[in-house]
Amino acid sequence: MSPRRQPSPGLLAALVCGVGLLITALLVGHLERSGATADRARFAAECKRLESAAARHFRLLESAVRGPGALWAAKAGVVTRAEFEAFVKDHDLVKELPGALGLGFVRRVPRAGLDEFLDATRADEAPEFKVKTQGDADELFVVEFIEPA
């Protein structure tokens, strides 16, 4: 029987290094997969949170638009500047419309009826009311009321 030969130190070092690299590669692959899964889960949760916040904000905007619509319906479409101001003051815009600086009303005015509209608006506590327009569109969309002014 021949004596058992010891592996050379260089071969042993290379074997240990190779096994270490293999284990490292396997661990890195596992961590990347689990990290990507966690990232996808965080991304999905953030998307859901943002979607919910946007839906909530749009519901607030919808209710803000419906409120003045009810005022116009109750007043048969004729609302004075003082009534609109009182309507806005009765609401907590900071709570009802976070981020909004005010509430306004835009009226569609036929260009042919602009002078009549201006006369009526100026008679309603807005003697300096002006409309700036460019072009020659048949209809204008004029910010008639805005509160707070």
Side-chain angles (χ1 to χ4, degrees):
M1 203 182 235
S2 63
R4 198 161 189 209
R5 230 175 115 199
Q6 294 288 346
S8 72
L11 180 63
L12 191 55
L15 184 62
V16 168
C17 185
V19 169
L21 286 174
L22 178 65
I23 291 171
T24 300
L26 291 172
L27 284 173
V28 166
H30 172 70
L31 290 174
E32 282 182 352
R33 283 189 301 279
S34 65
T37 301
D39 288 345
R40 280 192 296 275
R42 278 193 303 273
F43 181 76
E46 185 65 12
C47 285
K48 192 146 199 81
R49 186 190 69 75
L50 289 173
E51 181 182 324
S52 176
R56 193 171 42 255
H57 188 71
F58 279 112
R59 282 192 301 274
L60 287 171
L61 292 174
E62 182 181 14
S63 84
V65 169
R66 289 182 188 274
L71 174 65
W72 257 259
K75 303 295 277 170
V78 180
V79 176
T80 67
R81 191 163 303 282
E83 290 168 333
F84 186 76
E85 181 181 357
F87 174 83
V88 173
K89 283 183 179 176
D90 283 344
H91 291 80
D92 184 358
L93 288 183
V94 173
K95 181 180 176 190
E96 293 178 28
L97 293 170
L101 299 176
L103 191 59
F105 174 73
V106 177
R107 185 177 299 276
R108 184 181 344 180
V109 179
R111 187 174 291 276
L114 182 58
D115 290 336
E116 182 182 329
F117 168 78
L118 286 172
D119 290 342
T121 303
R122 289 174 180 154
D124 183 23
E125 302 176 37
E128 302 296 318
F129 191 88
K130 294 178 185 148
V131 173
K132 294 180 184 179
T133 180
Q134 294 179 343
D136 57 356
D138 291 338
E139 290 185 321
L140 305 171
F141 293 89
V142 180
V143 178
E144 183 176 1
F145 303 125
I146 190 157
E147 287 296 331

